């Protein structure tokens, strides 16, 4: 008997896109891949900091040129971020993540070649690759863990900081163990990128099979109604509030990453102890990055949480301003919680304030473009103000004002709205 059009089965969205657990035969593979990719997202940046003096000596660089080794990747994270949504739409998130990890490993190797041009070219490649990962990961987490997106954001933001802490702590021991100078120590981190790429490969293969199934189902389904026009995020106040929260929070982080040990040493603290204080602050960031997104996911509105993070930033900076040496360990603790928590909350905003994977990618592209372009100005600006005034009072006072701007932006970003 012939089957009429009315009797034909309708292919629903749920049949086209199976539930997460049905799509992933081995969910542990996905989690392992996310963790290994996240370990790479800060490690190669943190690993270079203990080596800057040796790199400067090798190439005869000025202090300003040496500072660009850490500034250029941050700058190009902002430049590369807006390109990522187009890449994910065209090639799929899984393939884009795999490509970015491989490019990151190539950038790490390029950076250690015996040439100043290769050094800075590697920094550019690393920055762009990290930008792609920064924007891709929130959307992927939102898609694969829709009911636990904030908690999973805490997992991968924590893993990023763990990678940075391990890299900063092991760069010098690696140099001694490998016996190849700073080049061998920094180049070794390309192996971590290769491991992450291998661990991520099953997701690429699985996504390819799913695309074939989805395409076949879509061809059998009735035509879908035209999509609603997408409003430009660049004209949306909420998107700007999230971008400013991330950007200025990141500026405070990168400024203190560049200058906190120097601030303490200039006020009379032993340089060895100043380094320990700084390392401790980075370690405390891990707790903030893990706990704050978990709290954010349990809240309908995150306004109070955002203001608390900004307030802790202000309090830690105030301690550095008023009692830098006596209050150093207290400031390090407060700033660690604030900086790690602000990173986790900023990433959580991307998944909590959007209602689709594509929306998360677009918001991630905008917020991280603005964020890292703003953040790149922090270390340079603070150094210029210090050189102009001869002390650290003016840069720290300006950072206090910026913490107030973070609070205002976070108050708006924490509203119960989606883009």
């Amino acid at each position: 008997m012939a089957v009429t059009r009315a009797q034909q089965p309708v292919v629903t969205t749920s049949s086209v896109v199976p539930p997460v657990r049905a799509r992933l035969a081995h969910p542990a593979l996905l989690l392992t891949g996310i963790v290994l990719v996240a370990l790479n997202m800060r490690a190669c940046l943190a690993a270079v900091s203990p080596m800057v003096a040796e790199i400067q000596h090798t190439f005869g660089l000025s202090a300003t040129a040496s500072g660009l080794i850490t500034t250029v990747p941050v700058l190009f994270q902002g430049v590369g971020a807006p390109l990522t949504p187009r890449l994910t739409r065209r090639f799929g998130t899984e393939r884009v993540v795999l490509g970015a990890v491989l490019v990151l490993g190539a950038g790490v190797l390029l950076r250690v070649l015996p040439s100043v041009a290769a050094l800075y070219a590697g920094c550019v490649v690393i920055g762009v690759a990290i930008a792609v990962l920064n924007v891709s990961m929130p959307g992927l987490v939102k898609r694969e863990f829709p009911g636990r997106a904030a908690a999973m954001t805490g997992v991968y933001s924590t893993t990023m900081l763990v990678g940075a802490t391990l890299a900063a702590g092991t760069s010098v021991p690696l140099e001694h163990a490998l016996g190849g100078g700073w080049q061998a120590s920094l180049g070794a981190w390309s192996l971590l990128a290769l491991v992450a790429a291998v661990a991520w490969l099953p997701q690429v293969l699985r996504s390819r099979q799913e695309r074939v199934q989805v395409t076949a189902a879509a061809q059998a389904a009735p035509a879908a109604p035209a999509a609603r026009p997408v409003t430009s995020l660049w004209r949306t106040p909420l998107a700007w509030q999230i971008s400013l929260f991330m950007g200025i929070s990141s500026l405070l982080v990168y400024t203190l990453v560049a200058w906190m040990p120097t601030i303490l040493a200039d006020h009379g603290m032993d340089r060895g102890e100043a380094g320990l204080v700084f390392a401790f602050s980075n370690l405390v960031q891990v707790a903030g990055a893990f706990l704050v997104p978990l709290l954010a996911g349990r809240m309908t509105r995150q306004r109070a949480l955002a203001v608390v993070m900004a307030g802790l930033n202000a309090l830690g900076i105030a301690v550095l301003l008023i009692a830098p040496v006596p209050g150093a360990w207290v400031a390090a603790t407060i700033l660690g919680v604030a900086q790690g928590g602000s990173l986790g909350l900023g990433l959580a905003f991307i998944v909590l304030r959007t209602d689709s994977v594509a929306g998360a990618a677009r918001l991630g592209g905008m917020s991280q473009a603005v964020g890292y372009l703003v953040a790149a100005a922090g270390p340079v600006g603070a150094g210029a103000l210090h050189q102009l005034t001869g002390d650290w009072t003016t840069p720290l006072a300006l950072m206090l004002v910026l913490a107030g701007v973070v609070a205002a932006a976070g108050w708006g970003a924490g509203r119960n709205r989606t883009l």
Side-chain angles (χ1 to χ4, degrees):
M1 183 178 67
V3 179
T4 66
R5 183 176 182 84
Q7 294 172 315
Q8 291 176 350
V10 177
V11 181
T12 64
T13 303
S14 60
S15 65
V16 175
V17 184
V20 172
R21 292 189 181 275
R23 294 207 317 269
L24 300 175
H26 300 287
L29 285 176
L30 175 62
L31 183 59
T32 301
I34 289 174
V35 167
L36 286 171
V37 169
L39 279 174
N40 280 272
M41 290 170 65
R42 292 293 181 274
C44 62
L45 299 180
V48 78
S49 296
M51 301 293 174
V52 169
E54 292 185 51
I55 297 172
Q56 181 180 4
H57 176 74
T58 299
F59 294 114
L61 301 175
S62 67
T64 301
S66 300
L68 290 175
I69 296 170
T70 54
T71 301
V72 166
V74 178
L75 179 63
F76 276 85
Q77 285 180 61
V79 173
L83 306 176
T84 307
R86 295 182 183 180
L87 292 175
T88 55
R89 285 197 300 269
R90 181 170 180 179
F91 300 106
T93 303
E94 287 82 2
R95 285 195 287 178
V96 168
V97 169
L98 177 64
V101 171
L102 291 173
V103 170
L104 178 62
V108 170
L109 292 176
L110 179 60
R111 188 174 60 179
V112 300
L113 293 179
S115 162
V116 174
L119 172 68
Y120 290 115
C123 291
V124 170
V125 172
I126 287 169
V128 172
I130 293 175
V132 173
L133 294 173
N134 281 339
V135 177
S136 300
M137 295 301 283
L140 186 140
V141 167
K142 185 176 183 67
R143 186 191 73 195
E144 301 294 351
F145 303 95
R148 296 174 292 165
M152 283 303 301
T153 298
V155 170
Y156 90 82
S157 61
T158 300
T159 306
M160 284 194 295
L161 293 177
V162 168
T165 302
L166 290 175
T170 59
S171 282
V172 174
L174 266 178
E175 181 182 20
H176 296 156
L178 297 174
W182 63 267
Q183 293 92 338
S185 177
L186 295 184
W189 294 100
S190 63
L191 295 176
L192 181 60
L194 181 60
V195 170
V198 172
W200 191 253
L201 192 58
Q203 305 308 320
V204 176
L205 298 176
R206 185 169 292 116
S207 70
R208 182 181 299 173
Q209 295 173 352
E210 290 169 3
R211 278 197 302 273
V212 172
Q213 296 169 356
V214 169
T215 300
Q219 290 173 348
R228 185 178 60 182
V230 177
T231 303
S232 172
L233 292 180
W234 297 90
R235 297 195 297 268
T236 307
L238 179 58
W240 274 104
Q241 287 161 346
I242 294 170
S243 299
L244 288 175
F245 179 85
M246 290 192 66
I248 301 177
S249 295
S250 298
L251 180 148
L252 298 177
V253 171
Y254 282 106
T255 301
L256 290 174
V257 164
W259 297 113
M260 185 177 177
T262 304
I263 292 171
L264 296 176
D266 285 355
H267 283 89
M269 179 177 283
D270 175 75
R271 288 192 176 274
E273 185 180 358
L276 288 175
V277 171
F278 176 64
F280 175 72
S281 182
N282 280 274
L283 185 62
V284 176
Q285 285 186 39
V286 173
F290 181 71
L291 294 174
V292 170
L294 289 180
L295 292 173
R298 296 174 180 273
M299 298 176 174
T300 304
R301 293 182 294 272
Q302 296 78 29
R303 285 178 154 182
L305 193 56
V307 171
V308 168
M309 291 301 103
L312 289 176
N313 262 313
L315 179 59
I317 293 166
V319 173
L320 284 180
L321 184 61
I322 297 168
V325 175
W329 290 95
V330 174
T333 304
I334 295 170
L335 287 169
V337 173
Q339 292 174 350
S342 296
L343 169 65
L345 183 57
L347 293 172
F349 278 149
I350 295 173
V351 298
L352 294 172
R353 297 284 89 89
T354 54
D355 55 10
S356 68
V357 175
R362 290 169 54 237
L363 180 58
M366 174 184 171
S367 61
Q368 301 205 40
V370 173
Y372 286 107
L373 289 173
V374 170
V380 176
L385 281 174
H386 171 64
Q387 185 173 347
L388 182 65
T389 61
D391 59 35
W392 291 103
T393 301
T394 302
L396 289 172
L398 181 57
M399 290 170 69
L400 274 177
V401 174
L402 290 175
V405 179
V406 172
W411 184 259
R415 289 175 293 168
N416 184 24
R417 287 186 54 194
T418 55
L419 294 166

